[in-house]
Amino acid sequence: MYHIFVDLEMQEIERKNKALSKGLKQEVIEFGAVVMDDNMQQVGSFKSYVKPAFSSHMRRKFIDLTGITDSMILGANDFRSVLAAFCNWCMSYSDIRLYEWSDSDLVQILKECSKKN
């Protein structure tokens, strides 16, 4: 069995875009994961920046927290594309178990899937 640990970085949505964001308070700006074998040895990883749909730039608070800058997300793919790439990457391993790094990661994925179709 393979164990995939997912870790997201998020940023709050700009106040001016709250009405457009359909109730989302934040959105994913980086999607990361590592895969471990049964001996808890890392055998792979996934990392992709995500271009925010409701923020035009990274705010200082989140740059300081995550180290992610505007230039890092400028040419990034949108949430849907990154999630699809992540799912394809997961499916390259057989017999997997997914774990979230924090209690908010799965909730955020589900919210963005719902709000961003």
Side-chain angles (χ1 to χ4, degrees):
M1 172 175 288
Y2 292 99
H3 308 272
I4 297 176
F5 296 85
V6 178
D7 184 26
L8 305 178
E9 298 297 341
M10 295 167 267
Q11 171 174 263
E12 289 177 356
I13 291 171
E14 292 175 353
R15 184 169 295 161
K16 68 181 182 180
N17 292 328
K18 294 269 184 186
L20 298 173
S21 68
K22 302 175 187 171
L24 284 176
K25 293 181 180 178
Q26 54 190 358
E27 60 186 330
V28 174
I29 54 173
E30 183 182 26
F31 208 113
V34 295
V35 60
M36 314 285 264
D37 62 18
D38 277 330
N39 297 317
M40 290 299 144
Q41 298 297 310
Q42 183 176 332
V43 295
S45 64
F46 178 91
K47 179 179 174 180
S48 183
Y49 295 113
V50 180
K51 186 173 186 171
F54 303 112
S55 297
S56 58
H57 66 280
M58 291 294 299
R59 291 201 303 287
R60 173 57 45 199
K61 172 183 172 181
F62 295 99
I63 293 171
D64 292 344
L65 181 66
T66 66
I68 299 170
T69 64
D70 286 332
S71 64
M72 298 164 106
I73 61 171
L74 183 63
N77 289 318
D78 64 8
F79 177 80
R80 177 183 275 191
S81 299
V82 173
L83 182 61
F86 171 73
C87 290
N88 288 333
W89 174 79
C90 286
M91 299 310 288
S92 69
Y93 297 94
S94 60
D95 195 21
I96 63 171
R97 180 172 287 164
L98 289 170
Y99 305 86
E100 59 183 320
W101 187 253
S102 75
D103 292 338
S104 63
D105 289 341
L106 177 59
V107 171
Q108 185 65 33
I109 290 171
L110 294 174
K111 282 182 181 179
E112 285 200 51
C113 284
S114 173
K115 302 297 183 178
K116 294 181 176 178
N117 297 319

